[in-house]
Amino acid sequence: GVVLPDLHGEFFSELMRGIGQVARGSGLHMLLSSAHGDADEQRVALQAMRGRVDGVLVMAPTDEGARSLAGCLAPALPAVLINTVDPEGRRPWVGVDGYGGARAMVRHLVASGHRAIAFVSGPGDNHDARERLRGYRDELAASLPGVVPRVEPGDFDEDSGIRAATRLLDGDEPPDAVFVANDAMAIGCLRAFAEAGLAVPGDIAVAGFDDIPLA
């Protein structure tokens, strides 16, 4: 059983493809459900899988979704969490090092000569988004002491990347680099900068996070 917050976009399609490949190689079938970012739908999906699956993989990256797991994961059902903070601290999990990855990216941009580095964040209630923002802030403070962070809100989709890039260009001093918390928003930034007549990376550098195929 696989319960994801969404099924739309390259990140989730790649995740499902990888899970499906390993499942087939082990003689298993995958039963998939989306919670649509809603904790109640996540609870219903997990309850519907009881007695029908040998184990579950669950991605619940928001605070509310993670908290709800304690009451809807049967103790006897094997479960592995993906990019999810276990509220009980006892289940195995796999995740992305968003904090370390963000720090590495800021170091790379600084080493490439950039000094005005903006960040486009993800949803405020998303664990991955918070870790990437924390990594950006900490590394900016370490690598460029005294430089004020410039953060634009985003929502992990392409449209929010377009809006964030437009706001950055509307400012008095546009940045010379933009670090974007995921690739979907980075693609939105690329589109906005192209429409504004800016060359990437000649005029402004863009860095994403996730490495989806389109990246």
Side-chain angles (χ1 to χ4, degrees), residues 54-202:
D54 298 304
V56 292
L57 303 176
V58 185
M59 178 183 283
T62 65
D63 296 334
E64 184 182 10
R67 285 193 300 267
S68 74
L69 290 177
C72 58
L73 278 179
L77 180 66
V80 175
L81 308 183
I82 306 170
N83 284 19
T84 300
V85 178
D86 182 4
E88 298 174 308
R90 61 183 179 82
R91 295 182 180 86
W93 63 278
V94 293
V96 175
D97 182 9
Y99 177 77
R103 293 200 67 159
M105 180 54 70
V106 174
R107 284 196 299 271
H108 168 73
L109 291 171
V110 171
S112 299
H114 300 290
R115 295 297 178 267
I117 304 169
F119 183 74
V120 179
S121 66
D125 65 344
N126 184 285
H127 173 70
D128 288 335
R130 287 200 301 266
E131 286 295 281
R132 295 169 196 185
L133 174 59
R134 187 169 69 91
Y136 161 78
R137 289 185 181 277
D138 285 357
E139 190 56 44
L140 196 69
S143 294
L144 297 174
V147 172
V148 177
R150 185 171 180 183
V151 179
E152 289 290 343
D155 200 30
F156 275 171
D157 59 23
E158 187 174 336
D159 286 343
S160 67
I162 294 173
R163 293 191 296 270
T166 301
R167 290 192 297 271
L168 289 170
L169 293 181
D170 287 342
D172 294 334
E173 296 183 12
D176 58 20
V178 182
F179 175 27
V180 193
N182 80 339
D183 284 339
M185 293 191 299
I187 291 165
C189 287
L190 288 174
R191 176 177 294 181
F193 294 149
E195 291 177 354
L198 296 175
V200 177

